[in-house]
Amino acid sequence: MNTIENIIKLALFEDSGLGDITAECILPEPLSGKGVIIAKESFILAGINVAKTVFKLLAPDCDTSSFFLDGDCVKKGEIVFEVQGDLLSLLKGERVALNFLQRLSGIATLTRSYVDEMKSLKVRLTDTRKTTPGLRSLEKEAVRAGGAYNHRMSLYDGILIKDNHIAVAGSITKAVSLVKKRASHLMKIEVEVSTLDEVKEAVNAGVEVIMLDNMDYDQMSAAVNYIDKRAVVEASGNVSLKTLNKIAATGVDVISCGALTHQARSIDLSMQIKAYGIR
């Protein structure tokens, strides 16, 4: 199943699946034209192939040209993308293409600001599963365009024992034991902890990754010292541009940040469309 195409088709159906009354009245006969997407502010681009696909699904014979790649810095006033073809399709695809580009570029731009803040730090920045329902694959790709890394994509590709798992199992030790009995030996086991006692239990259980959840800086430093490279240490919770350096200074290996996706502001873009010829 082509996940990205299905996401786009759903968005197109949401916007014009029952027709475009305005454009169909103005264009009762086929007419060709050109549309250009222009940056109204400077930003980091993400989602350019999604925008292309929007128009290709509406008009397979349209011509698309992008002047930047995902991850590129686009300056205010620059043309990001150009599409030529059936005018009705351009009008139908305008808002959907812009919505994707604005949302995904917003994530990439915010992510880049975090990455730039961390340039001198030997810490890996990752996203989380706090994504817009249905858009996870696209939003995580936007995080990569911004220069950060993905945590697990879903529940299937990484073992992360969280507080509710521990509550159900009875303890960290019991939860890890149950997972080890059934999971592949190729899978790393990560455990979320919030106290130093839980850190010690996780280390004794032999897990490969320990997530320090919402700990203060002193607690994180103490946890890192106790773990002493016996596991990868991830910090999570209360991560912002203001706290990045302080968190990294505790010695953690990874910082996971939900804000990359759920706090991103959409980028300001516009699309200008012109018709070829006069009827």
Side-chain angles (χ1 to χ4, degrees):
M1 180 173 65
N2 190 324
T3 303
I4 293 177
E5 282 198 6
N6 285 337
I7 292 171
I8 296 170
K9 286 177 180 177
L10 180 60
L12 286 170
F13 180 80
E14 176 183 60
D15 207 39
S16 61
L18 300 178
D20 179 347
I21 297 173
T22 308
E24 289 165 9
C25 288
I26 294 172
L27 292 166
E29 302 294 334
L31 189 66
S32 295
K34 180 173 78 170
V36 294
I37 293 178
I38 301 170
K40 299 182 75 174
E41 62 179 303
S42 297
F43 67 97
I44 304 300
L45 178 65
I48 193 65
N49 288 328
V50 180
K52 286 183 179 181
T53 304
V54 168
F55 294 107
K56 285 293 184 182
L57 287 174
L58 288 167
D61 59 346
C62 72
D63 293 322
T64 62
S65 301
S66 54
F67 303 103
F68 298 90
L69 299 174
D70 281 0
D72 285 349
C73 179
V74 181
K75 302 275 182 65
K76 180 179 179 179
E78 291 184 315
I79 294 175
V80 182
F81 175 78
E82 180 179 289
V83 56
Q84 299 183 62
D86 174 60
L87 261 183
L88 182 58
S89 297
L90 267 57
L91 289 166
K92 284 184 176 181
E94 174 187 359
R95 176 42 55 197
V96 173
L98 285 173
N99 282 349
F100 279 121
L101 275 177
Q102 290 175 306
R103 169 66 180 155
L104 299 176
S105 294
I107 291 172
T109 302
L110 179 61
T111 300
R112 183 65 58 85
S113 68
Y114 275 71
V115 170
D116 287 344
E117 185 70 18
M118 297 175 65
K119 274 185 176 179
S120 62
L121 307 175
K122 295 181 179 180
V123 183
R124 174 171 287 200
L125 178 69
T126 75
D127 55 23
T128 70
R129 284 168 43 244
K130 296 177 182 177
T131 53
T132 306
L135 298 183
R136 180 171 296 165
S137 60
L138 298 180
E139 292 185 348
K140 281 184 170 281
E141 189 172 340
V143 167
R144 296 196 298 274
Y149 296 83
N150 297 144
H151 206 279
R152 55 184 180 162
M153 292 295 295
S154 188
L155 296 175
Y156 71 90
D157 66 336
I159 297 170
L160 174 48
I161 300 172
K162 295 175 71 67
D163 55 351
N164 285 327
H165 299 117
I166 296 166
V168 171
S171 69
I172 290 174
T173 303
K174 182 64 174 176
V176 172
S177 176
L178 290 169
V179 167
K180 284 184 174 180
K181 287 179 180 177
R182 299 195 61 180
S184 167
H185 65 286
L186 297 176
M187 279 278 193
K188 290 184 177 180
I189 298 176
E190 179 172 10
V191 172
E192 177 187 82
V193 300
S194 57
T195 69
L196 290 176
D197 285 340
E198 289 178 344
V199 169
K200 294 174 182 178
E201 187 177 358
V203 169
N204 290 334
V207 303
E208 289 87 0
V209 186
I210 297 175
M211 177 193 288
L212 310 180
D213 181 49
N214 285 294
M215 285 187 173
D216 62 35
Y217 305 127
D218 290 339
Q219 286 177 313
M220 282 191 278
S221 294
V224 170
N225 289 333
Y226 179 83
I227 295 167
D228 193 25
K229 302 190 183 302
R230 287 176 286 180
V232 173
V233 185
E234 175 183 340
S236 182
N238 297 316
V239 179
S240 69
L241 283 171
K242 293 181 179 179
T243 63
L244 272 179
N245 283 289
K246 290 181 179 179
I247 294 173
T250 65
V252 298
D253 303 297
V254 179
I255 298 175
S256 55
C257 179
L260 301 181
T261 48
H262 68 66
Q263 294 294 319
R265 176 186 63 82
S266 291
I267 295 301
D268 193 4
L269 301 168
S270 68
M271 184 169 178
Q272 296 178 0
I273 295 176
K274 294 182 180 179
Y276 291 149
I278 300 174
R279 290 174 309 188

